[in-house]
């Protein structure tokens, strides 16, 4: 018995409307991370079904307001993570994997409220720390530590990235000149790293993070509090986009 065409048409219309609502222009500061997040939303919310194809790269780039290179990098990252499959040939394209990755055994489940709480606290602590560090007159030793920590994380191996990333952020907190701030940032970083350990390391995101880290440290060393705070805010928002995309 054939399915009623009217409910099928309504379902297709609803899916198209949902896709158009999700695949809207992203923020320019975190184009790659936001693109990954938007694509993951369409996957995790069921707008795309297993085996269904994504819109063409050109269309995605137009909808999201990003370059085709950004779309291509986002698709490659999600393919490497097991969410998408690229096929060549006449009927080729990018398709949602038939079976999506599952959280690794033993990974704690998290709610959106828990993710939001950790990220909002991070914004309060670390954006403020960057601004305060830039507004202080740093000693030669403090300046050297910041640059050394930046150099370390830029050359980090994937297995050591989280640790060296955390060391840089703790050095920024120390440079703010408030001893009480450092343990608060350290505790929040532990929560954040527990969340980040549940999502894949994306090479393009690491490269972008390196650029943001450099912008933060340079602004601090230049004594530009607003630029340091803005660069840290962009950095926090990039991590937030990926965490919400993978874990919500």
């Amino acid at each position: 018995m054939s399915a009623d065409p009217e409910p099928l048409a309504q379902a297709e219309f609803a899916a198209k409307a949902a896709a158009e609502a999700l695949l809207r222009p992203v923020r320019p500061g975190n184009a790659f991370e936001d693109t990954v997040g938007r694509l993951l939303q369409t996957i995790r919310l069921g707008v795309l079904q297993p085996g269904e194809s994504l819109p063409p790269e050109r269309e995605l780039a137009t909808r999201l307001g990003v370059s085709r290179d950004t779309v291509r990098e986002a698709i490659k990252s999600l393919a490497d993570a097991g969410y998408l499959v690229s096929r060549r040939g006449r009927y080729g394209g990018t398709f949602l994997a038939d079976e999506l990755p599952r959280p690794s055994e033993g990974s704690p489940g998290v709610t959106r409220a828990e993710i939001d709480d950790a990220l909002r606290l991070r914004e309060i602590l670390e954006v403020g720390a960057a601004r305060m560090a830039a507004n202080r007159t740093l000693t030669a030793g403090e300046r050297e530590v910041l640059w050394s920590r930046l150099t370390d994380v830029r050359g980090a191996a994937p297995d050591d990235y989280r640790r060296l990333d955390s060391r840089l952020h703790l050095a920024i907190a120390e440079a703010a000149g408030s001893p009480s701030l450092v343990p608060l940032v350290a505790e929040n970083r532990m929560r954040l790293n527990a969340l980040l350990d549940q999502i894949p390391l994306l090479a393009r995101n690491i490269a972008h993070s390196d650029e943001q880290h450099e912008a933060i440290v340079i602004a601090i060393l230049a004594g530009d509090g607003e630029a340091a705070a803005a660069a840290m805010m962009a950095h926090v928002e990039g991590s937030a986009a990926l965490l919400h995309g993978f874990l919500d």
Side-chain angles (χ1 to χ4, degrees), residues 89-102:
R90 183 177 178 183
Y91 300 104
T94 302
F95 300 83
L96 183 60
D98 290 331
E99 187 173 343
L100 298 181
R102 298 177 179 273

Side-chain angles (χ1 to χ4, degrees), residues 37-57:
R38 294 285 169 79
L39 292 177
L40 281 168
Q41 281 182 323
T42 66
I43 293 169
R44 293 170 64 85
L45 293 176
V47 176
L48 285 176
Q49 299 299 315
E52 189 174 350
S53 66
L54 265 66
E57 285 181 4

Side-chain angles (χ1 to χ4, degrees), residues 2-81:
S2 62
D4 188 341
E6 185 173 342
L8 285 176
Q10 291 174 346
E12 289 174 0
F13 176 81
K16 183 177 180 181
E20 289 177 352
L22 291 171
L23 298 175
R24 62 192 187 280
V26 304
R27 298 166 296 182
N30 289 297
F32 169 78
E33 290 82 1
D34 281 352
T35 298
V36 171
R38 294 285 169 79
L39 292 177
L40 281 168
Q41 281 182 323
T42 66
I43 293 169
R44 293 170 64 85
L45 293 176
V47 176
L48 285 176
Q49 299 299 315
E52 189 174 350
S53 66
L54 265 66
E57 285 181 4
R58 186 188 301 276
E59 181 180 340
L60 285 173
T62 300
R63 285 194 193 182
L64 295 169
V66 299
S67 69
R68 290 185 68 178
D69 284 344
T70 296
V71 170
R72 195 171 294 118
E73 289 173 345
I75 287 173
K76 182 181 184 304
S77 295
L78 289 176
D80 290 344

Side-chain angles (χ1 to χ4, degrees), residues 72-196:
R72 195 171 294 118
E73 289 173 345
I75 287 173
K76 182 181 184 304
S77 295
L78 289 176
D80 290 344
Y83 288 86
L84 300 175
V85 177
S86 294
R87 299 172 188 157
R88 297 185 179 276
R90 183 177 178 183
Y91 300 104
T94 302
F95 300 83
L96 183 60
D98 290 331
E99 187 173 343
L100 298 181
R102 298 177 179 273
S104 57
E105 291 187 15
S107 295
V110 290
T111 65
R112 184 181 182 90
E114 290 170 328
I115 297 171
D116 281 339
D117 182 57
L119 290 171
R120 285 169 183 159
L121 182 57
R122 183 191 187 192
E123 179 181 333
I124 292 167
L125 294 174
E126 297 206 42
V127 173
R131 179 183 285 110
M132 291 299 295
N135 289 337
R136 287 184 65 230
T137 300
L138 301 179
T139 67
E142 288 172 325
R143 297 170 72 86
E144 184 178 346
V145 166
L146 278 175
W147 196 257
S148 175
R149 296 291 183 262
L150 173 64
T151 302
D152 288 345
V153 75
R154 281 194 301 200
D159 290 346
D160 209 22
Y161 183 81
R162 297 274 187 248
R163 180 181 70 85
L164 295 177
D165 179 41
S166 296
R167 284 210 313 173
L168 171 60
H169 284 271
L170 287 171
I172 293 170
E174 290 169 356
S178 173
S180 299
L181 175 63
V182 177
L184 296 176
V185 171
E187 181 180 356
N188 183 247
R189 289 294 305 185
M190 289 179 66
R191 292 176 63 191
L192 186 69
N193 286 347
L195 296 173
L196 290 170

